[in-house]
Amino acid sequence: MAQLTVRNVTAQVVDALRRRAAANRRSAEAEHRAILRDALLAEGAAFADRARKLRSHLRSSVDSVDTIRADRDRDGSG
């Protein structure tokens, strides 16, 4: 199995890694492996599901056409 060395990591990132590892009851090294595995080997469907969830959170119930029209009417440029 290959080894990786990560240099120039800020203390903030290292602390976050340690906290996340502790929360998942893993060593920092095991957590680092899990993060890399999840980020790099995630299946397309899993990514699509995450993207779909993110898009649903970002959707707005505001109709931009109405908002733009109201701005134009207020400014007298429409």
Side-chain angles (χ1 to χ4, degrees):
M1 192 171 284
Q3 292 184 346
L4 297 174
T5 301
V6 181
R7 292 184 174 91
N8 300 320
V9 179
T10 66
Q12 183 181 9
V13 171
V14 173
D15 290 342
L17 176 65
R18 287 183 180 146
R19 285 192 305 273
R20 182 170 166 169
N24 290 320
R25 296 181 177 182
R26 294 191 268 237
S27 68
E29 185 176 339
E31 188 66 25
H32 193 188
R33 283 192 301 268
I35 291 167
L36 288 170
R37 182 191 62 240
D38 294 347
L40 300 174
L41 301 178
E43 295 178 23
F47 175 79
D49 289 340
R50 288 193 310 271
R52 195 176 303 105
K53 287 178 185 176
L54 179 60
R55 279 193 303 273
S56 72
H57 290 297
L58 297 175
R59 283 198 183 108
S60 173
S61 61
V62 176
D63 184 358
S64 60
V65 172
D66 293 336
T67 304
I68 292 168
R69 187 172 290 128
D71 284 345
R72 286 179 181 164
D73 291 345
R74 186 183 61 241
D75 295 340
S77 59

